[in-house]
Amino acid sequence: MLVKDVMNSPVLSVPEGLSLQEAHDLMYANKVRHLPVVREGRVVGVITDRDVRLACSPLAKGTVASPSTPVSKVMSHPVITADPLDPVEEAARTMRTRKIGCLPVLENNQLVGIVTGIDLLDALLKLTGVEKPSGRLELRLPDEPGQLALLTGYLADQGVNVHSLLTYPEDALTVRSVLRVNTQNTRALAEELRRQGLEVLWPPEKPWM
């Protein structure tokens, strides 16, 4: 999944001379929290609803801004951007590392969209397959070639379709694999996988009575 698949487009932007009051009203009216700031068609910063609130607050560091202050005095810059063809996980890593809430998306230096933390959460929901009726399996597998093939091959033999499959390293020797499958009867499926020698973490084993 790429940034272009989850970004908001067209995107609302504002000129650098717009006042904080006007920017606040624009965000409120359009139910957005981030506005790219442009100068002669080029993105030069980002202003957020939080920036406006903090700048005008008595608790602000330094001089308290007035509602008529231009956004250029408060905006974050230089701006960090994404490309439409960036993978969503790279956008998420950038936002997490930089501790920012959005990335304006540029194509040939032109603003074509914006991706926010909410957009990345939507992407996560799609990637994990939870938007379709499904069941969840989680297994611990040896970090060795062929282990995923064995698992998915067994599921295919049982007529089980995999809607999504995510893996991540647990330690130097093992990986966690989280699957969404086309059955909600995952407890019986998990028991069969355990009989095949696989370590199933979810659903947990039914406790003995």
Side-chain angles (χ1 to χ4, degrees), residues 23-202:
H24 174 270
D25 293 345
L26 195 60
M27 286 188 274
Y28 182 82
N30 289 275
K31 299 180 180 179
V32 298
R33 296 187 297 124
H34 310 85
L35 291 172
V37 181
V38 297
R39 178 195 303 145
E40 298 179 353
R42 297 295 181 95
V43 178
V44 293
V46 171
I47 185 81
T48 71
D49 59 343
R50 182 174 181 270
D51 294 332
V52 174
R53 291 196 308 271
L54 289 179
C56 297
S57 169
L59 300 177
K61 294 181 179 179
T63 304
V64 177
S66 73
S68 61
T69 300
V71 296
S72 61
K73 300 295 184 180
V74 176
M75 69 183 186
S76 298
H77 66 93
V79 64
I80 301 166
T81 64
D83 185 275
L85 298 181
D86 286 343
V88 292
E89 61 269 25
E90 290 300 326
R93 181 165 63 177
T94 297
M95 290 171 63
R96 176 66 181 87
T97 302
R98 300 286 189 145
K99 298 181 180 179
I100 54 179
C102 74
L103 291 170
V105 183
L106 303 186
E107 187 173 31
N108 297 323
N109 290 322
Q110 296 299 308
L111 180 65
V112 295
I114 190 169
V115 62
T116 70
I118 295 297
D119 298 325
L120 294 179
L121 286 175
D122 288 341
L124 177 62
L125 293 177
K126 291 179 181 178
L127 288 169
T128 54
V130 298
E131 294 183 322
K132 297 179 65 174
S134 57
R136 183 181 189 274
L137 292 170
E138 183 171 353
L139 298 92
R140 178 180 288 119
L141 299 174
D143 190 10
E144 300 171 357
Q147 292 297 315
L148 276 176
L150 289 173
L151 171 60
T152 55
Y154 174 78
L155 294 175
D157 290 342
Q158 301 302 306
V160 176
N161 188 34
V162 178
H163 291 324
S164 71
L165 169 61
L166 298 176
T167 66
Y168 62 93
E170 183 175 45
D171 54 39
L173 300 176
T174 61
V175 295
R176 292 278 191 102
S177 296
V178 181
L179 303 90
R180 303 295 303 196
V181 295
N182 69 332
T183 175
Q184 295 185 354
N185 186 23
T186 52
R187 190 170 293 277
L189 183 57
E191 291 305 318
E192 182 57 35
L193 289 171
R194 290 186 179 101
R195 285 192 285 270
Q196 298 296 318
L198 294 168
E199 185 179 359
V200 181
L201 304 176
W202 184 269

